[in-house]
RNA sequence: GGGCCGUUAGCUCAGCCGGUAGAGCACCGGCCUUUUAAGCCGGGUGUCGCAGGUUCGAAUCCUGCACGGCUCACCA
């Protein structure tokens, strides 16, 4: 007989005997960790604890079981003397690993020194019908781990810590920004024009409105509308959706922090960003230096700063302006064995070379500032050079973590940039920015000078939890659906 | 989308120069009142990812497909 059927049989018998295998509540007095931390005060006292039975060790007329609650494991001692014959037989007959139980008993320490609850009463709170994964090796099959994250969490307790840490990271960011007077807002996920980034959107349809809507690729244009409306410090931490490839650093839905600060330029945002990142790291990690694989990453501010042009020329050993000659640029690609699958435009070539020759080398947080205007349709031109914009990105361990700029607030300039993006789109560049006339209109009412910032929360969490795949820091990462039988 | 690798019991895995499936844990039965990957005795519970092909015979060889991982491409 299959294990599940055996348990179904027990379930039936329990019901016949008048027990409820799916109880309504249990009033526990302590969690596992509280029992252990307060052992000195609790020794000999009666407590009520509850949790999932994760292992059982039978010794005839006495047994040990280990239960687990969210705070950790706790050993329970069950002896026929203290539990009574009836309750002990009930335990032996009906309690399986995986079940949730409530225990009343006194706290003591075993011969081997383990803090344990000596049970006077044990009751079943929830019957588990499916057997637990193996207790020693856990679940290693990553497909099962992601599809059935609940099993991963049960079998691999360390996984809980990743997500507790993720929660703490986000909380710390919120606390930091709130303390500076930032207001958290929520802007539309469903947008009629997907803007604020260059990416392919998901398209959906609203029946009542009888129109297409797009899942947002960024909240940027809405947050800047709020700056027009009078907000001076706003942020949003929420999901973006991009209909693009999946990889160890890309999930179709991912979490982004975007913030906007009125009257600031990108230099001020630079300082804000390095203070934010480094103080989050310090408060989570108790040190600016974190271990990451074989490497150590040092978040102590100030971060290294290097201009796009400077690092580009250093790595390519060529004058940047020569790449404006597309012939030269393509020769360079050929010489360096870099494949370009996109259209051979200045923007794409530069982007490709940056990715191949520059980006991958950064380990410690590095600020790359002043980008070519062609790559940045929403950023303000440099005050002394129209070919460049006031924008910076922060790279950590070869991964882009942050992107920021002095926000373009000249509606006429913004209109021109949109128009040139539209031209690219008409030429077949699917990732070009959409034209958003309502946003232009908003800018025409006047947006004060503003600095903006985006931080990829998942990627930042990867760095802080020492994980190489974004799927390890997203509870339910996107996988292809499996045909159900 | 390309390349490489993987998919066998509930879990972790072995078996793969073709001969009809195995271990540990889990589970079931028995013994055991301080164990903790408890122990001792007994028990194998399976659509070998799916579909074809080759063969007397396929978990094993071949082809296709599905799902996953890594990687390249794409892309914040």
């Amino acid at each position: 007989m299959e294990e599940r059927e055996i348990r179904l049989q027990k379930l039936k018998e329990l019901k016949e005997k008048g027990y409820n295998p799916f109880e309504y509540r249990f009033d526990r007095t302590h969690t596992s960790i509280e029992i252990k931390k307060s052992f000195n005060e609790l020794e000999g006292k009666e407590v009520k604890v509850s949790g999932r039975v994760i292992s059982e060790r039978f010794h005839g007329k006495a047994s040990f079981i280990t239960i687990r609650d969210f705070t950790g494991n706790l050993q329970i001692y069950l002896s026929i003397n203290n539990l009574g014959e009836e309750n002990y037989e009930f335990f032996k007959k009906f309690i399986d690993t995986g079940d949730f139980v409530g225990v009343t008993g006194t706290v003591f320490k075993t011969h081997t020194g383990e803090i344990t609850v000596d049970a006077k009463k044990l009751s079943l709170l929830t019957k588990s019908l499916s057997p637990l994964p193996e207790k020693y090796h856990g679940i290693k099959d990553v497909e099962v781990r992601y599809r059935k994250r609940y099993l991963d969490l049960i079998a691999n307790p360390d996984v809980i810590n990743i997500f507790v840490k993720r929660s703490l990271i986000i909380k710390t960011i919120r606390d930091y920004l709130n303390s500076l007077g930032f207001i958290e807002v929520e802007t539309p996920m469903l947008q009629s024009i997907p803007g604020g980034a260059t990416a392919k959107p998901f398209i959906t349809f609203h029946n009542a409105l009888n129109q297409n809507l797009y899942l947002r690729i960024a909240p940027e244009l809405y947050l800047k509308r709020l700056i027009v409306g009078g907000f001076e410090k706003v942020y949003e931490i929420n999901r973006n959706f991009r209909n693009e490839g999946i990889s160890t650093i890309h999930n179709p839905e991912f979490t982004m922090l975007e913030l906007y600060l009125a009257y600031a330029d990108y230099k001020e945002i630079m300082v804000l960003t390095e203070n934010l990142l480094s103080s989050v790291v310090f408060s989570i990690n108790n040190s600016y230096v974190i271990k990451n694989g074989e490497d150590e990453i040092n978040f102590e501010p100030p971060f290294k700063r290097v201009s796009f042009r400077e690092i580009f020329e250093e790595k390519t050993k060529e004058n940047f302006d020569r790449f404006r000659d597309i012939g030269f640029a393509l020769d360079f690609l050929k010489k360096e064995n870099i494949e370009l699958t996109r259209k051979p435009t200045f923007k794409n070539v530069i982007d490709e070379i940056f990715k191949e020759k520059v980006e991958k080398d950064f380990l410690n947080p590095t600020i790359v500032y002043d980008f070519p205007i062609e790559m940045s349709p929403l950023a303000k031109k440099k005050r002394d050079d129209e070919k460049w914009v006031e924008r910076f990105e922060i790279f950590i361990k070869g991964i882009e973590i942050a992107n920021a700029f002095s926000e373009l607030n000249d509606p006429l300039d913004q209109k021109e940039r949109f128009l040139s993006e539209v031209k690219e789109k008409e030429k077949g560049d699917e990732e070009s920015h959409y034209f958003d006339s309502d946003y232009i209109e908003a800018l025409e009412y006047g947006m004060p000078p503003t600095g903006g910032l985006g931080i990829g929360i998942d990627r930042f969490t990867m760095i802080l939890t020492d994980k190489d795949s974004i799927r390890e820091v997203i509870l339910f990462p996107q996988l292809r659906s499996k045909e159900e039988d």
Side-chain angles (χ1 to χ4, degrees), chain A residues 335-349:
Chain A
K335 191 181 79 184
E336 295 288 332
N337 248 328
I338 299 171
E339 202 186 346
L340 184 74
T341 47
R342 287 176 282 172
K343 286 182 173 303
T345 61
F346 173 67
K347 169 186 151 187
N348 287 343
V349 171

Side-chain angles (χ1 to χ4, degrees), chain A residues 18 62 269 292 303 314 331 335-336 367 380 388 390 463:
Chain A
I269 299 293
N292 192 287
F303 298 163
E314 182 191 317
D331 283 349
K335 191 181 79 184
E336 295 288 332
I367 297 175
K380 215 167 187 170
W388 300 85
E390 294 195 355
I463 304 276

